[in-house]
Amino acid sequence: MERAVLAVAAVNLGAIVGCLVIGRLADRTGNATAYISCGFALGAVAITMIGRSGDSGSWLLCASLLAGVFCIGAQMCTVAFCASFYETSLRATGVGWAIGIGRTGAIVGPLLGGALLATGMPVPTLFLLVGLLSIGSALAVAGIGLGVLRAGSKGRAPNVV
């Protein structure tokens, strides 16, 4: 129980640091797509490492911190990323929908994870599956970013409403 509490604290501390670092880099370079995508991809590795930590408390703590920095840090930056796609009159609604859909995933995800564990799925396999979902997030952000950049280069508005 003590390790689990420390791991959750490490994830949340990492999320704060990750959001600040990824957000600062994205603002400084103007390439949020690359930093958020890389964050999700590196977060996938860290999430998979959590499942492989076994009985090592230090490995679990390190992997949890990295998962927070990369995956949750990137996730927190997606709010600003989504806001850039909407015209001012639609921005609050668009971002609200994005956050709402994300909250739905935050509710369904643990329920699904618990159900998979109840079927006898090994913990490392479950964390590998979650890591693959983070890879899917990286690909989605990269695809959206490329689509917006491509639309902007053809003279169309980059908004993807």
Side-chain angles (χ1 to χ4, degrees), residues 14-15 32-33 63-64 88 91 98 105 109 116:
T33 302
S64 297
T88 305
R91 194 164 293 144
L116 290 172

Side-chain angles (χ1 to χ4, degrees), residues 62-130:
C62 181
S64 297
L65 181 70
L66 291 173
V69 167
F70 293 119
C71 196
I72 298 179
Q75 178 184 357
M76 290 168 43
C77 289
T78 59
V79 174
F81 183 64
C82 289
S84 68
F85 297 143
Y86 295 99
E87 296 174 18
T88 305
S89 63
L90 297 172
R91 194 164 293 144
T93 301
V95 170
W97 271 95
I99 291 171
I101 291 168
R103 291 297 93 205
T104 303
I107 294 166
V108 173
L111 293 173
L112 183 58
L116 290 172
L117 287 174
T119 65
M121 177 180 276
V123 172
T125 304
L126 177 64
F127 278 95
L128 175 63
L129 180 63
V130 174

Side-chain angles (χ1 to χ4, degrees), residues 36-48 70-71 127-143:
I36 294 172
S37 293
C38 287
F40 279 127
L42 292 170
V45 174
I47 290 168
T48 303
F70 293 119
C71 196
F127 278 95
L128 175 63
L129 180 63
V130 174
L132 291 174
L133 291 173
S134 189
I135 292 288
S137 297
L139 294 173
V141 169

Side-chain angles (χ1 to χ4, degrees), residues 43-68:
V45 174
I47 290 168
T48 303
M49 286 172 35
I50 292 172
R52 304 278 180 209
S53 65
D55 290 331
S56 174
S58 57
W59 184 264
L60 175 63
L61 194 61
C62 181
S64 297
L65 181 70
L66 291 173

Side-chain angles (χ1 to χ4, degrees), residues 137-155:
S137 297
L139 294 173
V141 169
I144 290 169
L146 290 174
V148 169
L149 291 174
R150 190 172 301 128
S153 70
K154 292 180 180 176

